[in-house]
Amino acid sequence: DRSCMKVQYIFKHLDHSDALQDYTQTLLDSCSRFLLKDTKAHVTFSKRQKEFCVEVTVFTKQRAFRSKSFHFD
């Protein structure tokens, strides 16, 4: 059962990865039970030199929640 959360995935300076997108969708599905049904999310995967970044923004009617994480390879 897929969530009602509409997710937009953006890959900057990276090749598109279905596995990464599916893994992220699974994590968002586990969080979506705490949110209202008409929730939207933007997920951005990016790479700059040897630094990888993922930024997740979840939009609800009341507010937006943003998280960003970095990893050096």
Side-chain angles (χ1 to χ4, degrees):
D1 184 13
R2 299 300 267 183
S3 72
C4 295
M5 186 183 302
K6 295 178 183 165
V7 183
Q8 177 184 15
Y9 295 96
I10 300 168
F11 290 83
K12 292 182 180 177
H13 307 291
L14 287 172
D15 292 334
H16 181 269
S17 168
D18 286 331
L20 186 57
Q21 188 170 327
D22 290 343
Y23 177 71
T24 305
Q25 184 66 50
T26 301
L27 295 176
L28 288 173
D29 286 346
S30 68
C31 296
S32 68
R33 64 182 177 188
F34 301 107
L35 301 170
L36 297 173
K37 290 191 178 196
D38 52 344
T39 302
K40 297 179 183 177
H42 292 205
V43 180
T44 303
F45 300 100
S46 61
K47 180 182 177 191
R48 190 172 70 187
Q49 295 177 348
K50 293 188 176 192
E51 180 181 55
F52 291 88
C53 175
V54 60
E55 182 176 352
V56 179
T57 307
V58 177
F59 301 95
T60 65
K61 287 183 178 180
Q62 293 81 18
R63 60 186 319 176
F65 300 93
R66 179 169 289 157
S67 178
K68 189 183 270 192
S69 181
F70 296 93
H71 184 270
F72 295 95
D73 187 28

